[in-house]
Amino acid sequence: MPTNPTDPQSRILTEEYEVLHEVARVLHSSKGLKNMLEDVLEVLTGFNELKVEKKAGIFLADPEKKVLNLYCMLGKFTDEFLEKEKVVPYGDCLCGRVAESGQLLMSESCFTDARHERKYEGMQAHGHYIVPLKTGEKFLGVMFLYTNTHPAWYQHSQEVLLSIGGLVANAIENSLIEEELKNYRNHLEVLVAERTADLKQVSTTLEKEVAERTHAERELTIIREQLRNLGNHLQNIREEEKTRIAREVHDELGQSLTALKMDLVCLKEELPSNQPEPQERIQSMSGLIDSTITSVQRISTELRPQILDIFGLCEAIAWQAKEYEKRTNLQFDLNCAHVPLDNKELTTDLFRIFQETLTNVVRHAEADRVKVRFRQQDNKFILEIEDNGKGMPPGKIEDSQSLGLIGIRERVLFLGGEVEFLGEAGKGTKVVVKVPLES
Ligand SMILES: Nc1ncnc2c1ncn2[C@@H]1O[C@H](COP(=O)(O)OP(=O)(O)OP(=O)(O)O)[C@@H](O)[C@H]1O
Ligand SMILES: [Mg+2]
């Protein structure tokens, strides 16, 4: 419907529209809450139809303490007023009543309205509009506007004032939320900074620990390697010593005993046959020399079987197996391929591992069959020794007291190979040694 500017009704409508528009514009500026609210009060005091004086203010609600706190004002107020109105409890005077009821209030005169409980020195007669500031049901404060005495409602004044109250309340709520967000963000930033500092500290400590650990591990590896080298060196010395003693015992003692025996035979022939006593003594001496020669051969072979150096590992294993068969009730099942092994140290190591494993079988396994398999596969020698005894008790493999097993493992590791001790209670034990060809 077209409006006529001279018609009072349409003039009011235009003014309402302009005021609402101006309030909305002010509240969209980014001047900060207090400045925005002061500008809103300024706009409202220019609302002719409401006949507002240039005196107004806004309280913000503190719902926990149930009080209104004076937030901003427009116009001149006495010091007494400012001091007394700083904090107004809910229910007190006009503004406190609006805080309780949440309803718009109009008061005709501060002197005649009994609800206007607070009086001030030099107070002039005036009326009030007290507008609740609410978003939905949430109460955020109160806006008071001074008027002439006996302000009269015009047709839509209540709706307009409540709408403006809603707009102001929205602005206050947004600002409070922003403030809360800002505080929260600041709090988070402090937390993140603290946490980062903590993590940095932990990370530095960890780095230090890792470095120390790495250093200790490196040292341990070096010491282990030195020990392994030393062990191997001692084994080699022992082996050389055994070989030397075996050779001396075999050659020198053996030759001397053989010469002694031959001398004895000559002596026997030179003695007259009618002297039985010396003849018998020579006979028994000859028997003693024979058994000493056998002992010398046994000792020399046990120290280091010559067969190992002359015929190689397979024959040495076969010979050793026969020796065990003679001395124990073990039956051997041998499957040894003729693998060309011209590395004397490797041959010795594998043979000693075989002997140590067999000693364990005889001492601990209570077995009657042993399977031995020696072969070459790809670029590895594989020696497998399996008994049908009671099986290795759990924990023995890792036991630091198992010096025999440790010795085997160390020999194999020195050769760059690997060893496995497999077995279950009642199902025998299998030792698998794998060493690389190039070792
Ligand atoms: N073939 C096997 N069957 C059953 N148990 C075994 C076998 N081999 C080893 N064991 C168990 O493992 C343990 C450790 O063996 P290891 O050779 O290290 O030590 P040991 O034979 O007891 O003493 P030594 O130092 O004289 O060799 C043995 O005491 C035994 O209990
Ligand atoms: Mg042993």
Side-chain angles (χ1 to χ4, degrees):
M1 200 171 66
T3 55
N4 178 356
T6 56
D7 167 22
Q9 194 62 28
S10 72
R11 190 179 40 77
I12 294 175
L13 264 176
T14 311
E15 197 184 1
E16 276 174 12
Y17 168 77
E18 281 173 0
V19 167
L20 275 168
H21 179 267
E22 193 54 20
V23 167
R25 192 190 61 77
V26 166
L27 290 176
H28 268 98
S29 68
S30 47
K31 284 173 110 179
L33 185 64
K34 199 165 198 157
N35 288 335
M36 283 196 310
L37 296 186
E38 281 168 0
D39 286 357
V40 168
L41 295 176
E42 184 80 49
V43 171
L44 290 181
T45 55
F47 195 168
N48 291 327
E49 201 55 39
L50 281 179
K51 314 223 170 1
V52 187
E53 287 184 8
K54 225 175 177 41
K55 266 182 138 182
I58 288 177
F59 286 97
L60 295 185
D62 180 341
E64 273 177 27
K65 292 188 185 157
K66 290 200 172 299
V67 292
L68 295 169
N69 294 310
L70 188 58
Y71 183 65
C72 65
M73 280 170 310
L74 183 77
K76 282 204 155 83
F77 293 92
T78 63
D79 290 345
E80 184 198 0
F81 176 91
L82 292 176
E83 184 54 36
K84 284 190 181 163
E85 296 293 314
K86 231 192 226 170
V87 180
V88 175
Y90 283 14
D92 203 17
C93 206
L94 301 183
C95 291
R97 281 185 163 78
V98 172
E100 264 189 346
S101 69
Q103 303 293 319
L104 178 70
L105 182 151
M106 187 185 71
S107 167
E108 298 206 327
S109 167
C110 53
F111 290 118
T112 55
D113 190 337
R115 295 171 300 178
H116 198 295
E117 290 149 346
R118 297 181 169 205
K119 307 276 189 263
Y120 302 98
E121 185 87 29
M123 192 168 80
Q124 302 289 317
H126 60 273
H128 284 99
Y129 293 118
I130 315 282
V131 185
L133 307 176
K134 295 200 295 182
T135 58
E137 281 311 301
K138 189 169 176 192
F139 174 74
L140 290 151
V142 158
M143 175 167 70
F144 63 89
L145 304 168
Y146 276 41
T147 70
N148 293 340
T149 50
H150 306 298
W153 297 121
Y154 71 88
Q155 195 186 354
H156 298 297
S157 59
Q158 299 191 37
E159 291 161 33
V160 174
L161 283 172
L162 285 171
S163 300
I164 290 170
L167 289 176
V168 171
N170 266 331
I172 293 172
E173 190 172 41
N174 284 346
S175 162
L176 291 177
I177 289 171
E178 260 173 39
E179 186 70 17
E180 210 172 301
L181 272 177
K182 204 167 130 197
N183 289 341
Y184 188 62
R185 206 177 298 127
N186 288 344
H187 177 63
L188 269 184
E189 272 168 18
V190 171
L191 276 184
V192 167
E194 282 174 6
R195 195 88 190 98
T196 311
D198 282 356
L199 282 175
K200 218 167 161 183
Q201 170 86 33
V202 170
S203 143
T204 313
T205 316
L206 269 179
E207 269 172 23
K208 212 170 135 208
E209 275 175 19
V210 168
E212 280 171 8
R213 227 193 157 98
T214 313
H215 180 69
E217 272 171 12
R218 210 175 294 133
E219 288 211 325
L220 207 65
T221 311
I222 293 171
I223 290 172
R224 235 184 243 148
E225 204 169 309
Q226 286 172 343
L227 277 177
R228 191 163 294 145
N229 287 341
L230 183 66
N232 183 63
H233 180 63
L234 291 177
Q235 294 277 18
N236 286 345
I237 290 177
R238 250 182 93 205
E239 208 58 50
E240 279 167 21
E241 196 72 347
K242 276 183 177 180
T243 311
R244 190 181 59 76
I245 296 171
R247 198 177 304 124
E248 278 180 16
V249 166
H250 181 269
D251 294 356
E252 293 193 11
L253 256 182
Q255 277 169 21
S256 304
L257 284 170
T258 310
L260 205 60
K261 172 128 196 224
M262 278 158 64
D263 283 351
L264 218 54
V265 171
C266 293
L267 195 64
K268 195 179 175 214
E269 277 170 10
E270 281 166 18
L271 269 179
S273 53
N274 57 353
Q275 290 186 345
E277 205 179 315
Q279 285 281 1
E280 272 169 28
R281 292 215 24 211
I282 286 174
Q283 190 59 37
S284 102
M285 279 168 79
S286 170
L288 194 61
I289 289 172
D290 281 345
S291 69
T292 310
I293 289 174
T294 313
S295 294
V296 162
Q297 279 170 346
R298 186 180 50 76
I299 291 168
S300 132
T301 310
E302 274 174 9
L303 278 168
R304 178 166 181 97
Q306 276 188 328
I307 194 167
L308 187 60
D309 297 323
I310 300 167
F311 297 105
L313 186 63
C314 279
E315 278 68 14
I317 286 177
W319 166 81
Q320 186 70 77
K322 274 210 185 76
E323 288 297 304
Y324 276 111
E325 276 181 340
K326 272 191 247 163
R327 284 192 267 134
T328 65
N329 64 348
L330 281 178
Q331 290 296 307
F332 279 80
D333 176 359
L334 291 183
N335 185 349
C336 289
H338 277 271
V339 176
L341 260 178
D342 48 12
N343 180 334
K344 194 174 160 205
E345 255 181 52
L346 176 59
T347 312
T348 307
D349 279 331
L350 288 172
F351 185 68
R352 293 302 184 205
I353 289 170
F354 172 74
Q355 281 186 317
E356 176 65 35
T357 307
L358 257 292
T359 309
N360 276 350
V361 174
V362 173
R363 282 176 58 193
H364 310 295
E366 296 167 20
D368 57 13
R369 293 201 76 82
V370 182
K371 267 195 221 167
V372 182
R373 213 164 162 226
F374 180 56
R375 65 190 198 282
Q376 183 183 334
Q377 187 181 305
D378 302 327
N379 58 348
K380 279 182 185 150
F381 296 120
I382 302 175
L383 173 63
E384 290 175 358
I385 305 153
E386 184 175 5
D387 67 58
N388 67 344
K390 63 179 187 183
M392 203 179 283
K396 286 289 177 189
I397 298 168
E398 296 82 22
D399 191 343
S400 60
Q401 302 298 314
S402 299
L403 297 181
L405 302 184
I406 291 172
I408 294 176
R409 194 180 291 121
E410 285 301 305
R411 274 186 196 263
V412 175
L413 285 179
F414 189 80
L415 296 170
E418 55 194 278
V419 59
E420 278 181 294
F421 301 97
L422 310 164
E424 258 179 67
K427 293 194 175 170
T429 302
K430 185 172 180 181
V431 180
V432 183
V433 175
K434 295 181 186 170
V435 289
L437 265 174
E438 50 269 26
S439 72

